[in-house]
Amino acid sequence: DGSQMEGNDAEAARLAVAQNLNLKLLVDDNDDDVFLITEAFAACEQTCTLTSVQDGYEALDYLRNQPPFSDAAPPDIVLLDINMPRLDGFGVLEALRQDDQLADLPVVILSTSEQHSDHDRALKLGARDCLHKPVGFDQLREMLGRFLRHWGDDDNRALKQA
């Protein structure tokens, strides 16, 4: 599809301008997961800031700079859980893709779901990748380290958009 490729080229160019991924938005309703993911990011020794919100509506308010997030810095990427109350990850993806200001924002699913249908649906809704949350901290740290190395590389980020 030519129009999708043009949009992806524009996004790849925008991403290539960025020096690195400094701010990530984590959208997850599970406080234990948020704590472990925050600790795992810190253990990766990468220079980045991880901000978290509790559900899909908070994520959209944050991304649209709605109160109480009026002064929130825009993230370089969103790490999005699928299974959340109020507005789930699929609803967030649909809303992002319909919002001209946010349609090109990279989203990576970070979920406990191992259902291929969930992953396929997320990718069709515009997610760039789907990562399964591992059970152990060491596995989580290793997975997030790979994520940071992959998405922190300008060439790989540009390729992910194609």
Side-chain angles (χ1 to χ4, degrees):
D1 178 28
S3 63
Q4 184 177 1
M5 288 301 293
E6 289 173 14
N8 287 340
D9 289 345
E11 181 179 1
R14 182 181 64 79
L15 288 173
V17 169
Q19 292 291 322
N20 53 30
L21 292 175
N22 289 325
L23 179 61
K24 288 115 187 95
L25 178 63
L26 173 64
V27 185
D28 198 317
D29 64 308
N30 185 307
D31 290 338
D32 292 334
D33 284 349
V34 170
F35 175 78
L36 288 173
I37 292 166
T38 301
E39 292 297 307
F41 263 104
C44 289
E45 299 179 5
Q46 297 275 340
T47 303
C48 68
T49 301
L50 182 68
T51 299
S52 64
V53 294
Q54 292 285 310
D55 66 39
Y57 287 117
E58 281 191 15
L60 293 175
D61 286 347
Y62 180 97
L63 295 168
R64 294 173 175 154
N65 291 109
Q66 299 297 316
F69 308 105
S70 301
D71 297 324
D76 298 294
I77 194 163
V78 176
L79 295 166
L80 180 64
D81 190 17
I82 293 175
N83 300 310
M84 296 181 291
R86 300 196 328 139
L87 183 64
D88 67 11
F90 299 123
V92 173
L93 282 168
E94 289 173 356
L96 291 178
R97 298 310 166 228
Q98 294 172 6
D99 186 317
D100 291 341
Q101 299 297 315
L102 302 171
D104 293 330
L105 180 65
V107 176
V108 172
I109 298 298
L110 182 58
S111 180
T112 56
S113 174
E114 293 188 63
Q115 298 293 321
H116 290 295
S117 59
D118 284 347
H119 294 184
D120 290 345
R121 182 176 174 198
L123 293 171
K124 286 179 183 170
L125 289 171
R128 301 293 189 254
D129 203 354
C130 294
L131 303 175
H132 180 259
K133 288 181 196 170
V135 175
F137 180 79
D138 288 337
Q139 293 89 349
L140 178 63
R141 181 182 43 76
E142 289 171 15
M143 187 261 306
L144 291 175
R146 286 190 304 271
F147 162 81
L148 287 169
R149 285 189 300 275
H150 179 79
W151 283 90
D153 181 317
D154 287 338
D155 294 333
N156 283 339
R157 281 187 282 151
L159 289 173
K160 289 295 283 186
Q161 311 313 311

